Every structure is written in C-alpha cells, then in structure tokens.
Amino acid sequence: MSEKKSKGLWYALAGAAAGVVNGFFGGGGGQVLVPMLAGKCGLDQRKAFATSVAVIAPLCALSACVYWFRGQLDLMLALPYLAGGLTGGWVGGKVFKKISMVWLRRGFALLILYGGVKAFL
C-alpha cells in the first residue's frame, strides 16, 4: 500500500475512533483523535489539536442530533453551557499560538488523566 493510501486509512480510522467515542460518551473524541493525528498520521502537535477541533465540531453536532431525536437532549438546559463553551473556545483559540507546546501537551495529558480518574471513581 502506498504511503498516501496508508495515511488516508489512518485518517479515516482516527475519525472513526473519534466518532465512536463521541457517540458512546457524548464527547471526548478529541482525546482519541489528537494522539492518532500526531502519532499515526504524522501531524505536528498544533495541527493535530486544530484539526481535532475541526473534526470534532461536526461529530458533536451529529451526536447531539441523535440524542435530540431520541428525546435525550434538553436544549434549554444546554444553552448556558453553550454560551460558556463558545466564550471559552474563542479565548482558547486566541491564546493557542501563544502557549508553548510543552504546556499544551501537559495540559492535555492532565485533562485526559483527570477524565480517566473521574470515570474510574
């Protein structure tokens, strides 16, 4: 298999893994996607984070639609979180380039660790 086809396969597998995680848990696909994009797909860390956001946004929208059609989503309850999330996303996008990769990786690792501990306990 050519290198281009091999990378395309890894891209598709990374997207599928993120979609499955999002579908199961209502989010968290980026925790799967970023390491796959950086490791198997060869993207540098910043591009992996940014690409993950671009991929996860429509996956989250799709998952939200599935939950909504099943009657498991209360949009009015979600609105305050959406307002905060939009603000946080805007601020995060602005400071993203100003933070060193070392601190971005550490922050991401702590976020994954925190989520794992909370899920385990």
Side-chain angles (χ1 to χ4, degrees):
M1 185 181 304
S2 74
E3 185 177 337
K4 188 174 182 177
K5 281 188 179 182
S6 176
K7 271 194 175 183
L9 178 62
W10 279 113
Y11 291 157
L13 288 173
V20 166
V21 170
N22 257 31
F24 280 161
F25 306 113
Q31 292 183 347
V32 172
L33 194 57
V34 170
M36 288 186 79
L37 289 172
K40 292 290 186 183
C41 300
L43 295 181
D44 70 67
Q45 206 69 45
R46 284 197 192 276
K47 282 191 178 182
F49 282 121
T51 302
S52 173
V53 171
V55 171
I56 294 303
L59 292 178
C60 287
L62 177 62
S63 294
C65 287
V66 169
Y67 287 121
W68 185 67
F69 282 120
R70 290 185 177 166
Q72 298 168 326
L73 174 61
D74 183 344
L75 288 175
M76 295 311 290
L77 183 64
L79 285 177
Y81 297 101
L82 179 60
L86 289 172
T87 302
W90 182 79
V91 170
K94 289 290 188 184
V95 295
F96 179 69
K97 282 186 127 180
K98 298 174 184 172
I99 298 175
S100 77
M101 279 313 307
V102 171
W103 286 106
L104 281 172
R105 281 195 301 269
R106 287 177 182 167
F108 187 66
L110 285 173
L111 183 64
I112 291 173
L113 183 62
Y114 173 76
V117 168
K118 289 293 284 183
F120 186 71
L121 298 176

